[in-house]
Every structure is written in C-alpha cells, then in structure tokens.
Amino acid sequence: MSLSISLRRGAPEAEELLFPEAGPLLENAFAERRLAIDAFESATEVVVRAATPGARPEDIEVFVQNDMLTIRGKRFPADEPGARALAQECEWGSFSRSIILPAEIDENGIDAALKDGILTLRLPKTERARRVGVREILS
C-alpha cells in the first residue's frame, strides 16, 4: 500500500489539531510519544523507517522544512469487545519525531510507503548534495 503524504513546507501551527475527527482515544492519549526510527544514508538518498503498528496512512503526516524531517501521527489499538486486559504494554495515541537531514533533499521525489506496520520514507538527495569524487592529477 502506498502512503499518500501531504508534504508541507513548515510544521503546522501549535494550536492546529492534528486529527480532530478522531475523538477521544485512551486516558493518556494527550501525551505525545517519541517515534523510534532507523535512518540510513547512501550516496543518492536518505531512508527512514519507523514501526507504526495501528496507524493507517491517513493517520500519518510527514513534513520537510529546510533540513528537518518531521513525522507525526496517531496509533489506534484494535478493539477486543468483552475482553479483559491481561497486559497493556504497547504505546497507543499520538507520536512524533523530528530529525535533521544530513543533506539537501529533492522534496518532489520523496516516496512514503506503509507496509505491515512499517513506515518507509525514501528521500532522494539533490544533485548539489551528492558527494563529488576527487581525482588526482599527476604532473
């Protein structure tokens, strides 16, 4: 499943509610949790992966502002009607994470995909950001 992201220049205003239609989640849903990520860099792109179980594509927003990437969203638990909880260790509710990107990114080429609860962002570097090889000239 391909994730359709709304790539915005600049983060949303503080008073802007991320998902007002979602309604109340859990008792501690107002506490935004830090999203754990893995980030990799190659010569041509930066790849960021994050485990987002319980989040749907429409629950995730991705922003790029200058050299900062921000991922925000919400995770929802699966309902178990009539069941009594024995353990509740998973974190549900709002999450976010911002990282400084190591290179200039081509914002038009960003690809975001959500598969099996893993969000993968592929951020291609611009030509200006790619490393140039230096050759030695012998006289």
Side-chain angles (χ1 to χ4, degrees):
M1 167 189 303
S2 186
L3 176 66
S4 173
I5 62 170
S6 59
L7 183 63
R8 295 195 225 170
R9 293 191 192 337
E13 297 299 320
E15 65 274 359
E16 178 183 339
L17 294 176
L18 184 58
F19 303 108
E21 70 280 359
L25 293 175
L26 299 172
E27 289 180 50
N28 293 325
F30 63 89
E32 193 167 79
R33 286 144 178 90
R34 184 172 183 247
L35 180 65
I37 64 164
D38 290 335
F40 309 91
E41 179 183 19
S42 72
T44 59
E45 68 179 353
V46 175
V47 178
V48 178
R49 289 194 184 107
T52 57
R56 301 169 305 213
E58 59 269 19
D59 299 328
I60 300 171
E61 291 184 319
V62 176
F63 307 94
V64 174
Q65 180 180 18
N66 298 326
D67 62 348
M68 183 166 296
L69 167 70
T70 300
I71 305 167
R72 291 178 39 178
K74 289 189 179 181
R75 293 183 265 227
F76 300 91
D79 289 332
E80 293 296 332
R84 181 174 61 92
L86 299 175
Q88 290 185 314
E89 297 175 349
C90 296
E91 292 187 355
W92 306 106
S94 299
F95 60 83
S96 72
R97 181 66 183 268
S98 293
I99 63 167
I100 294 177
L101 296 167
E104 188 175 334
I105 300 298
D106 174 9
E107 295 176 2
N108 295 321
I110 296 174
D111 180 59
L114 184 64
K115 182 179 179 185
D116 299 329
I118 304 294
L119 172 65
T120 302
L121 302 174
R122 294 191 170 279
L123 304 110
K125 294 179 180 179
T126 64
E127 288 295 325
R128 291 186 303 260
R130 295 185 184 164
R131 184 177 177 154
V132 175
V134 177
R135 60 187 172 87
E136 182 178 5
I137 300 176
L138 303 173
S139 4

